[in-house]
Amino acid sequence: MIVDARVLRDEFVPREVVHRDAETNRLSAALSPLLDGEPAETALLTGPSGVGKTCIAQYTVSRLRERVLDIETQYVNCWQNYSRFRALYRILDGLGQTIDIHRQSTPRDELLERLERYDGPPCVVILDEVDQLEDMRILYDLYHLPRFSMILIANREEELFARLDDRIQSRLHTAERVHFDRYSVDELVAILEDRAESGLTTGAVAREQLAIIADAAAGDARVAIGILRNAARQAQRAESRAITYEMLHEAIPEGRAEVRRKSIETLTPHQRALYDILAEEGELEPADLYAAYQARVDEPKTDRTVRNYLQKLAQYNLITITGTSRDRTYVVERRE
DNA sequence: CATCCACCGGAACTTAGGGTTC
DNA sequence: GAACCCTAAGTTCCGGTGGATG
């Protein structure tokens, strides 16, 4: 059933990309000065999730590396490495410059100094989910390092810009900006066909079934591939030769629940308590929520900390926050 | 329509926990 | 082993916001 599970994984970067020629070309153009040994333009890729931003960034850089030997690349997921220290550490670590650095004790300035002293080949740093950084100064840091070029990836340009100070903003205005739109059903089907062809046995899934997946995924390729992966796994377990429609329909809600489950697992006990309360109550006003939280946990944190936790839950799309002051309510996100 | 006040979120500060240096 | 450095997490403080209320 499954011939090559790798191509069904989220982080897989295909050898050829489908339906993103224009975007790929613009990103290539921004990076092309590297071919002449010049620093590349900063690129800013925006668009909703699952539209191929990360994939195109990695694909374009790897294609560039096929043409020019001496280029390094570092991928940093800012969601996981959200502090200035961790993000810088991640880059140095990837470049193999951290052997004698011990996480806590080394000052950030030391990390910066090392990056300044770096004299290896030019390095393209992909900062994924850059809007998740809690300190945007790292962009400024990297701007001052001529050997480093940046590809920034974010959902919404306006929200990212709102958080930048003037100096970085003005520099980013000259960046090559590439916006990605949601995939159409046809485009998603083409992507799925591509993956099914190299990942599954022939005849494992019908084109018509791929159309159902594409439709359910609402333009999000990550969701679409997740559904296909779940259905294929199910078929594998059942030792079936093909994916049945029943397996398919089971896999659709599963694909979405999977993302949520993973997010919930990363919560601290206190954050989890807040989520549980909202999951039970559905919707609460700030005072009621905080009272329920105080009743539930030992040694409750202050309300200010709880507000930070709630922002975190919202970022994970586990809850929705509405209203800005007295009209504020917290609502659990429920959608199969 | 002024004033109230629950709530928000930025910023400065504190504390805990680690490591280094001499 | 004391003095010092770092980060991360949490707290304290506080000005701003905008529905509610008389």
Side-chain angles (χ1 to χ4, degrees):
Chain A
M1 177 71 214
I2 298 178
V3 181
D4 186 353
R6 281 176 314 166
V7 308
L8 297 177
R9 296 173 67 101
D10 279 339
E11 62 275 12
F12 177 74
V13 179
R15 189 170 298 275
E16 288 303 323
V17 295
V18 264
H19 294 303
R20 284 302 189 215
D21 289 343
E23 291 84 352
T24 309
N25 288 340
R26 290 185 53 193
L27 183 55
S28 297
L31 297 179
S32 64
L34 288 171
L35 295 172
D36 310 318
E38 307 276 324
E41 301 275 344
T42 298
L44 173 59
L45 313 186
T46 56
S49 66
V51 291
K53 302 185 296 294
T54 306
C55 176
I56 293 302
Q58 291 187 322
Y59 168 77
T60 308
V61 173
S62 74
R63 231 184 34 174
L64 185 69
R65 295 184 75 189
E66 284 168 15
R67 295 171 63 191
V68 193
L69 280 178
D70 274 350
I71 290 185
E72 271 289 340
T73 176
Q74 285 306 319
Y75 173 83
V76 181
N77 186 319
C78 300
W79 186 289
Q80 284 142 26
N81 304 280
Y82 51 83
S83 76
R84 194 173 169 197
F85 182 87
R86 278 196 209 169
L88 288 172
Y89 185 87
R90 194 63 259 301
I91 295 168
L92 270 177
D93 195 35
L95 293 169
Q97 309 273 316
T98 48
I99 313 101
D100 55 337
I101 290 185
H102 305 289
R103 306 213 99 222
Q104 302 267 316
S105 69
T106 313
R108 185 190 55 239
D109 289 349
E110 167 79 24
L111 298 190
L112 271 173
E113 244 169 66
R114 294 234 177 180
L115 285 170
E116 257 161 56
R117 262 188 280 133
Y118 167 80
D119 59 354
C123 180
V124 179
V125 178
I126 301 173
L127 292 175
D128 204 348
E129 313 206 46
V130 68
D131 40 357
Q132 297 299 323
L133 281 174
E134 79 183 11
D135 189 345
M136 291 293 173
R137 273 177 296 178
I138 183 177
L139 302 185
Y140 196 69
D141 297 337
L142 287 171
Y143 255 121
H144 287 280
L145 301 169
R147 304 197 86 82
F148 292 85
S149 312
M150 290 188 277
I151 299 178
L152 311 178
I153 302 178
N155 288 124
R156 295 167 53 82
E157 187 176 309
E158 310 85 75
E159 277 162 35
L160 175 65
F161 270 79
R163 296 196 40 218
L164 300 174
D165 71 31
D166 298 344
R167 287 178 309 182
I168 308 176
Q169 262 195 35
S170 66
R171 286 171 197 242
L172 266 193
H173 274 296
T174 66
E176 179 69 24
R177 302 193 221 176
V178 188
H179 184 77
F180 289 66
D181 285 316
R182 290 197 175 282
Y183 287 111
S184 69
V185 169
D186 287 345
E187 288 169 341
L188 278 183
V189 168
I191 291 167
L192 290 170
E193 260 178 341
D194 200 48
R195 301 292 172 100
E197 201 173 296
S198 45
L200 305 178
T201 52
T202 40
V205 60
R207 199 195 144 82
E208 201 186 328
Q209 291 178 312
L210 295 182
I212 293 174
I213 297 176
D215 200 46
D220 186 330
R222 188 178 305 165
V223 172
I225 291 165
I227 295 171
L228 180 61
R229 180 175 60 232
N230 277 316
R233 243 189 241 142
Q234 182 62 35
Q236 180 105 317
R237 246 180 271 133
E239 290 176 32
S240 161
R241 201 182 291 175
I243 292 171
T244 66
Y245 280 88
E246 199 194 341
M247 292 169 188
L248 195 59
H249 286 294
E250 262 173 46
I252 288 172
E254 219 177 290
R256 292 184 189 147
E258 202 172 47
V259 179
R260 166 163 328 194
R261 205 172 44 242
K262 278 185 196 156
S263 309
I264 291 174
E265 277 166 19
T266 70
L267 299 178
T268 66
H270 285 259
Q271 293 164 350
R272 181 63 196 266
L274 286 164
Y275 176 75
D276 287 344
I277 291 165
L278 279 168
E280 286 160 24
E281 301 294 327
E283 175 175 351
L284 281 177
E285 303 198 340
D288 297 337
L289 176 56
Y290 188 64
Y293 161 77
Q294 279 184 309
R296 181 167 306 214
V297 301
D298 296 334
E299 301 183 41
K301 311 284 187 195
T302 59
D303 59 335
R304 182 67 187 85
T305 301
V306 165
R307 286 203 289 276
N308 283 341
Y309 289 165
L310 290 165
Q311 287 298 336
K312 191 119 218 161
L313 295 184
Q315 282 184 354
Y316 280 84
N317 287 321
L318 292 171
I319 65 170
T320 325
I321 298 178
T322 56
T324 56
S325 80
R326 286 209 115 171
D327 52 343
R328 174 62 62 98
T329 48
Y330 298 99
V331 190
V332 71
E333 191 71 41
R334 270 210 189 92
R335 169 200 63 188
E336 250 56 25

